[in-house]
Amino acid sequence: MKIAFKELKYYKFKYLMIGVILFLLAFLVMFVSSLAQGLGKDNISMIESLSGEDIVIEKDANDEIQQSKLSDDVIQQAKDKDFKVLSMTPLRFDNNDSVQLIYTDAVDYKLTSGSKPKSGNEIVVDSTMSENYDVGDVVKVKDSDTEYKITGFAKRQMYAHTPIAFTTKDGFEEIKPADVNIMVGSENLSNLDEAKTIKKKELMNGIPSYQAEQLPLNLMVVFLFVISAIVISAFFYVITIQKTKEYGILKAIGTKSSRMISMIMTEVLTIVIVSTLIAIGLTYLLGELLPVTMPFFVNNKLVLLLFGSFILVSLLGALLSIIKVVKIDPLSAIGGE
């Protein structure tokens, strides 16, 4: 380990350049992954916040919330099992900004500022609208005399790339009757008339834009990672090959293979861990600095997975080098016969 750090210090410019390239590769993968996650959240963050996993929806609604309208019998059966209601309708303000107006007690949303609506003329809107609106602003509904006062902003509540506006039942009925689109609970109800029970995942897939966006984005992330893995592995293999003569000299003076393997692994792990951690730190920093309207979400589990994967592929690349080092003939490596 001591030899490894001495070598890193001696060839600091060369290893610094390698570290910079690894940092850029790791940052590119993290940044694109976070963009893909952010776009996904813009489609489904409201559904993720539902208080239960089981959703009662009309059978012929193609798993789309707004195409579903539950009958009174279904609503009563679900209510008997402690399911909660959700009504949704699109709404456009006088300045052409659009939201999905929701009346529900099935979404556990958190406020970034302000307070929840208490009367029929109050709404809480998604935090992406905080760039153009403030708490206390009054918005007028297009082609209507209805006005709502914004009482707060909710943290990440979107559906199909449209901000959610939460209101009370009276507030919803200012626009239209509060028909129940879906009900949310924690039980698979069977024998429902013209309705069925689905899971959150199926409700997400019912959004037409969700799957169409996520598949190519996820493929792009996978390809980026595979290309990065190949580049990292090739880097460490080539570096080892370039030092064949040095390893041959070390072997000739009696250095054990295990010590040289330890030296290579220490160098690889040091460079990869430092470079990747800097990339992760910059990604989290950008997540805090980018505007709320930017679809960007850093998924902690995905970050851990990518970090572990970078370490793994680097070690695999180093393993190819180690096989070469172990087989080095000291005499031929230093040019003897």
Side-chain angles (χ1 to χ4, degrees):
M1 187 177 290
K2 193 175 177 181
I3 299 176
F5 287 119
K6 276 187 175 179
E7 185 170 284
L8 286 173
K9 188 177 178 182
Y10 186 79
Y11 294 110
K12 51 182 175 293
F13 185 74
K14 181 174 78 173
Y15 286 115
L16 178 63
M17 289 296 102
I18 294 168
V20 169
I21 292 169
L22 290 179
F23 156 75
L24 292 174
L25 286 172
F27 178 68
L28 181 63
V29 174
M30 299 280 179
F31 186 77
V32 174
S33 303
S34 299
L35 279 179
Q37 292 280 310
L39 283 170
K41 291 286 180 185
D42 275 5
N43 263 317
I44 60 167
S45 54
M46 186 277 289
I47 295 176
E48 287 182 324
S49 301
L50 293 175
S51 56
E53 284 293 326
D54 295 288
I55 317 293
V56 174
I57 192 168
E58 190 179 349
K59 282 181 181 175
D60 298 330
N62 294 324
D63 297 343
E64 285 190 56
I65 295 177
Q66 289 176 355
Q67 290 191 24
S68 171
K69 181 182 174 183
L70 298 178
S71 66
D72 292 339
D73 287 342
V74 171
I75 294 170
Q76 191 55 53
Q77 287 181 65
K79 278 186 175 177
D80 291 341
K81 299 294 184 181
D82 295 326
F83 275 62
K84 298 174 181 176
V85 301
L86 187 147
S87 304
M88 175 189 285
T89 188
L91 190 70
R92 180 171 290 183
F93 298 147
D94 217 23
N95 60 1
N96 284 328
D97 282 347
S98 296
V99 296
Q100 292 286 355
L101 186 69
I102 280 185
Y103 154 64
T104 185
D105 53 358
V107 176
D108 300 321
Y109 64 90
K110 295 179 180 177
L111 294 172
T112 57
S113 62
S115 58
K116 293 188 176 182
K118 295 175 182 173
S119 63
N121 65 341
E122 294 179 344
I123 55 173
V124 161
V125 294
D126 179 70
S127 56
T128 53
M129 302 187 75
S130 62
E131 289 214 333
N132 299 320
Y133 299 92
D134 293 316
V135 173
D137 283 356
V138 175
V139 290
K140 187 174 181 300
V141 178
K142 192 176 183 68
D143 300 328
S144 167
D145 295 329
T146 303
E147 292 183 338
Y148 291 106
K149 179 183 176 183
I150 297 175
T151 62
F153 294 99
K155 183 179 180 181
R156 198 174 287 282
Q157 291 295 325
M158 302 278 285
Y159 177 81
H161 294 292
T162 306
I164 297 292
F166 295 96
T167 187
T168 62
K169 186 176 182 181
D170 289 341
F172 193 93
E173 290 182 337
E174 289 285 332
I175 303 300
K176 60 178 285 190
D179 297 324
V180 176
N181 295 107
I182 61 170
M183 298 195 72
V184 182
S186 301
E187 189 172 343
N188 190 344
L189 302 183
S190 56
N191 302 320
L192 295 172
D193 294 332
E194 299 180 350
K196 61 181 179 180
T197 305
I198 62 174
K199 295 292 183 184
K200 272 186 185 179
K201 188 67 180 175
E202 295 168 84
L203 194 64
M204 294 173 187
N205 290 334
I207 302 173
S209 61
Y210 180 58
Q211 284 192 330
E213 278 182 3
Q214 288 303 297
L215 185 60
L217 285 171
N218 289 335
L219 275 177
M220 187 167 63
V221 172
V222 169
F223 280 124
L224 266 178
F225 177 75
V226 170
I227 292 169
S228 301
I230 293 171
V231 171
I232 292 170
S233 302
F235 251 127
F236 289 115
Y237 182 74
V238 170
I239 287 171
T240 305
I241 297 302
Q242 286 177 337
K243 297 193 307 187
T244 301
K245 195 170 184 178
E246 296 172 32
Y247 291 129
I249 294 171
L250 286 173
K251 267 198 166 183
I253 62 176
T255 305
K256 293 181 178 176
S257 295
S258 58
R259 196 171 179 190
M260 289 193 289
I261 291 170
S262 172
M263 184 180 75
I264 294 170
M265 299 297 273
T266 302
E267 289 175 358
V268 170
L269 285 175
T270 302
I271 296 170
V272 173
I273 289 175
V274 171
S275 304
T276 312
L277 285 179
I278 293 173
I280 291 172
L282 183 61
T283 307
Y284 274 105
L285 181 64
L286 276 179
E288 295 296 323
L289 297 179
L290 288 173
V292 290
T293 50
M294 181 86 170
F296 192 83
F297 177 74
V298 185
N299 185 325
N300 293 335
K301 290 181 181 176
L302 185 61
V303 168
L304 280 175
L305 179 66
L306 290 174
F307 179 67
S309 301
F310 267 97
I311 300 291
L312 183 64
V313 296
S314 302
L315 290 178
L316 287 176
L319 184 63
L320 296 174
S321 314
I322 288 169
I323 294 172
K324 182 79 176 175
V325 168
V326 171
K327 291 182 176 177
I328 285 176
D329 177 18
L331 192 58
S332 59
I334 60 178
E337 294 184 358

